[in-house]
Amino acid sequence: NQVPYEGTVYIVDAVTNNSGAGGGLITTYDGKLLGVIGKQLRNTRTNTWVNYAIPLQVLQKPIQQMIDGTYKYSSTDEKDNPNQFKPIDFGIVMIPNIVYKTPSYIDKVVSGSSAEKAGLKKNDLIVFVNDELVQSNRNLLREFNKIKPGDRIDLVVRRENKLVTISIPVSKK
């Protein structure tokens, strides 16, 4: 099995492989942040599991880069391609993509952007892009990568308890 991270970890003597635990925080007994829970690992030969957390000091730089929009993804479906669109191209800043299935919540809408003009708001959850279900930031990026100049982006977002449809025209990149 491949491990998604190579480096120093905290081995956690607790069950952290319950649904939603990956990406959660580990703290010291007095509440100081220690690390972020990683995906559990299983040894298929011995059927044993290891739970771990990546130390916060290792994650500080990439987290800041994600917030700034300068983080470079390394997975094959997210490699930088100058011809592909990203949410930031329309003024959409997503919450940091920290875990594999980070939900596609909007963290910020840039003032004066096409996203703001179309009516997107902070905390909107993008559910569909051009009729394709979006289950995570990874799916969102994949759908944005399919967009071509001259298209329209039709988004369905969950805002509070309502579904709202938003259309954004796509100009040249």
Side-chain angles (χ1 to χ4, degrees):
N1 288 348
Q2 282 190 315
V3 178
Y5 169 75
E6 291 182 26
T8 303
V9 297
Y10 296 112
I11 299 299
V12 180
D13 187 16
V15 176
T16 62
N17 60 353
N18 60 319
S19 180
L25 298 176
I26 297 286
T27 64
T28 61
Y29 69 93
D30 57 350
K32 292 183 181 144
L33 293 179
L34 191 60
V36 175
I37 299 171
K39 183 178 178 183
Q40 73 277 0
L41 303 174
R42 179 177 172 236
N43 183 320
T44 55
R45 288 181 289 183
T46 62
N47 199 30
T48 55
W49 293 84
V50 173
N51 299 292
Y52 68 95
I54 301 171
L56 191 60
Q57 61 269 28
V58 171
L59 295 171
Q60 285 175 328
K61 183 178 177 183
I63 289 171
Q64 188 59 51
Q65 290 171 333
M66 288 175 199
I67 292 168
D68 297 340
T70 59
Y71 183 78
K72 301 292 183 200
Y73 293 94
S74 60
S75 71
T76 55
D77 60 2
E78 295 179 17
K79 284 190 178 165
D80 220 9
N81 179 336
N83 299 319
Q84 294 175 330
F85 286 97
K86 296 177 190 70
I88 193 63
D89 295 328
F90 304 94
I92 304 168
V93 178
M94 304 305 296
I95 62 170
N97 193 22
I98 296 191
V99 296
Y100 187 77
K101 288 211 170 200
T102 299
S104 53
Y105 278 102
I106 296 175
D107 190 42
K108 177 181 174 185
V109 177
V110 176
S111 180
S113 67
S114 55
E116 182 188 53
K117 291 173 187 168
L120 285 173
K121 298 181 184 288
K122 177 183 171 92
N123 296 324
D124 281 350
L125 173 66
I126 299 175
V127 182
F128 288 93
V129 173
N130 295 337
D131 296 323
E132 293 294 327
L133 180 63
V134 173
Q135 296 177 330
S136 68
N137 271 345
R138 287 178 187 267
N139 294 135
L140 178 74
L141 289 174
R142 208 169 291 129
E143 292 308 315
F144 268 76
N145 287 338
K146 296 176 184 177
I147 297 168
K148 307 263 186 293
D151 287 350
R152 288 190 73 74
I153 307 171
D154 293 318
L155 303 173
V156 175
V157 299
R158 190 182 89 201
R159 182 176 295 155
E160 297 173 7
N161 289 324
K162 298 176 188 167
L163 293 178
V164 178
T165 302
I166 307 276
S167 289
I168 303 173
V170 180
S171 58
K172 292 181 181 178
K173 185 143 172 136

